[in-house]
Amino acid sequence: MLRRPRRNRQSQAIRNLTTETHLSVDHLIYPLFMIDGKGIKDEVASLPGNFRMSIENILKEIEECMLLGLKSFILFPAIEDQHKDKIGSYGYHPDNFYLKAARTIKDKFPECCIISDVALDPYNIDGHDGIVRDGKVENDETLIQLCKMAIAQAEAGFDILGPSDMMDGRIQAIRDALDQRGFKNTGIMAYTAKYASAFYGPFRDALDSAPVEGSDIPKDKKTYQMNPANKQEALIEAELDTAEGADFLMVKPALNYLDIIHLLKNNFELPIAAYHVSGECAMLIAACQNGWLKYEEAMPETLLSIHRAGASVILTYFAKDFAKMQLNLPITN
Ligand code: PBG
């Protein structure tokens, strides 16, 4: 045998030399759930180790993460029912605690990067990412609301906005709205290929944001989120988002869509982000809690595989634990 691939695997030192993919905490974004109030830290039952937190606890969390070298956060608000309406107007209301919290975070930690969520679902009485009229999710009317949210978020100090709504034309509409008001440096991480997936369950529990039941309300998000059977269509979305001015292209979920991550990586120059979503993380946590998998081994392997597929940025609920592992600190959950 002239070729013996095992020669390059025979010691740790040689394996280090031949390692093709390196994942560091620099690539990770940590999602945090926020709630209005004081002293709140409620665990999300379907996503153990993750909490709905009020501002002081969010600040504490961010401080701890920054010390671990984890500097980027995507923030999601849980909104009380009294603030929900048909058009999601609380999303840009001056009293909105989410916007106030962004200002506080950036005042305290100017060097961190905070990413927003642009979509109506936390604020919408129907639980949809857009305005529901006559049983349908209205595209163009929703764009006007998304732009108002985007401007309010840019004003509040978010570094990057994350339109997760999947309306047509939203990246251009938001980019134009931001530029007209002088927010030329506020970035956009487009949820480019966001699939109508069954893996968002724990997230919707955390925010109480699932589509509401009603005869005139679509029961799922299939008229705007992508069909899990489709791949070519991801190229159309990516072309549009690129042309419309996105700074990052995101694929969501991540693990069941590694082929899509790879496809976009090979066809586009923009950095590719992958959202390792709540249901994907919950599955792994559950298996580890049952003693069926070892968290310290399965978790980093999972993140590495997403990176290897082509995602330069990974949004994951495991970001903090990964950061601890890199520093050889114990994980306590
Ligand atoms: C809402 C939004 C969702 C997620 C991020 N933004 C849920 C949805 O589309 O219903 C899911 C994230 C996760 O499951 O971790 N626009």
Side-chain angles (χ1 to χ4, degrees):
M1 275 188 271
L2 280 177
R3 306 300 310 264
R4 284 186 180 270
R6 288 189 55 196
R7 279 198 289 261
N8 281 350
R9 299 180 202 133
Q10 62 188 308
S11 74
Q12 189 58 52
I14 295 174
R15 287 194 293 274
N16 288 350
L17 290 176
T18 56
T19 298
E20 296 175 38
T21 310
H22 291 94
L23 180 62
S24 91
V25 64
D26 290 348
H27 301 280
L28 304 182
I29 298 175
Y30 194 28
L32 296 174
F33 301 121
M34 312 186 51
I35 192 160
D36 203 4
K38 260 195 158 151
I40 303 172
K41 190 168 178 178
D42 279 345
E43 189 160 34
V44 181
S46 49
L47 196 58
N50 291 269
F51 301 84
R52 269 181 300 263
M53 287 178 277
S54 53
I55 183 68
E56 359 48 269
N57 287 318
I58 289 278
L59 291 172
K60 219 190 276 172
E61 188 66 34
I62 291 180
E63 185 167 21
E64 278 178 34
C65 290
M66 299 281 286
L67 290 171
L68 298 168
L70 177 58
K71 299 193 175 81
S72 295
F73 306 90
I74 185 161
L75 308 174
F76 295 99
I79 303 294
E80 288 166 89
D81 283 346
Q82 73 201 62
H83 294 308
K84 298 188 183 185
D85 62 17
K86 287 292 284 186
I87 59 168
S89 62
Y90 193 67
Y92 47 88
H93 195 284
D95 289 342
N96 182 332
F97 77 93
Y98 178 68
L99 301 173
K100 289 190 201 162
R103 279 190 200 98
T104 312
I105 294 166
K106 286 301 284 187
D107 280 348
K108 221 165 167 216
F109 305 108
E111 69 284 20
C112 77
C113 169
I114 52 172
I115 301 153
S116 72
D117 186 48
V118 187
L120 300 196
D121 57 337
Y123 305 104
N124 181 313
I125 202 161
D126 301 319
H128 275 283
D129 294 21
I131 298 171
V132 179
R133 296 241 185 266
D134 304 324
K136 295 210 165 88
V137 177
E138 267 295 319
N139 195 89
D140 299 7
E141 207 184 330
T142 299
L143 294 185
I144 299 167
Q145 294 306 99
L146 296 174
C147 288
K148 290 184 195 166
M149 278 180 80
I151 292 161
Q153 292 173 353
E155 273 167 357
F158 279 100
D159 300 279
I160 299 175
L161 309 186
S164 65
D165 55 282
M166 290 302 278
M167 297 300 119
D168 291 337
R170 82 248 206 246
I171 302 303
Q172 172 145 25
I174 291 170
R175 187 69 268 161
D176 286 346
L178 292 174
D179 287 354
Q180 275 165 24
R181 281 156 193 84
F183 296 110
K184 296 203 161 46
N185 291 322
T186 304
I188 300 180
M189 182 177 287
Y191 286 61
T192 296
K194 176 171 177 180
Y195 287 87
S197 168
F199 289 87
Y200 307 148
F203 177 97
R204 293 179 190 171
D205 291 344
L207 300 190
D208 186 22
S209 65
V212 167
E213 290 204 18
S215 55
D216 224 17
I217 304 170
K219 62 178 189 334
D220 55 45
K221 299 189 175 183
K222 290 180 186 167
T223 68
Y224 47 105
Q225 297 180 348
M226 281 178 57
N227 177 351
N230 293 359
K231 188 163 171 174
Q232 290 296 112
E233 202 180 328
L235 293 170
I236 300 176
E237 289 286 359
E239 271 164 32
L240 287 170
D241 287 355
T242 303
E244 292 179 29
D247 301 288
F248 295 81
L249 302 176
M250 190 203 290
V251 175
K252 175 180 174 188
L255 286 181
N256 291 331
Y257 297 84
L258 294 177
D259 56 333
I260 311 297
I261 295 172
H262 186 68
L263 179 73
L264 295 196
K265 174 70 182 172
N266 285 345
N267 286 283
F268 292 87
E269 290 76 32
L270 286 170
I272 307 300
Y275 201 141
H276 181 213
V277 300
S278 57
E280 298 179 301
C281 293
M283 287 195 296
L284 195 139
I285 295 169
C288 296
Q289 285 184 343
N290 270 295
W292 297 339
L293 293 175
K294 283 195 187 124
Y295 185 70
E296 281 80 355
E297 292 172 9
M299 184 271 279
E301 180 181 331
T302 301
L303 300 187
L304 188 70
S305 71
I306 300 170
H307 193 41
R308 191 192 61 234
S312 43
V313 175
I314 304 172
L315 300 92
T316 177
Y317 300 92
F318 297 148
K320 189 181 183 189
D321 283 348
F322 183 87
K324 286 185 185 166
M325 279 188 66
Q326 293 279 288
L327 297 169
N328 291 317
L329 296 171
I331 297 167
T332 44
N333 262 334

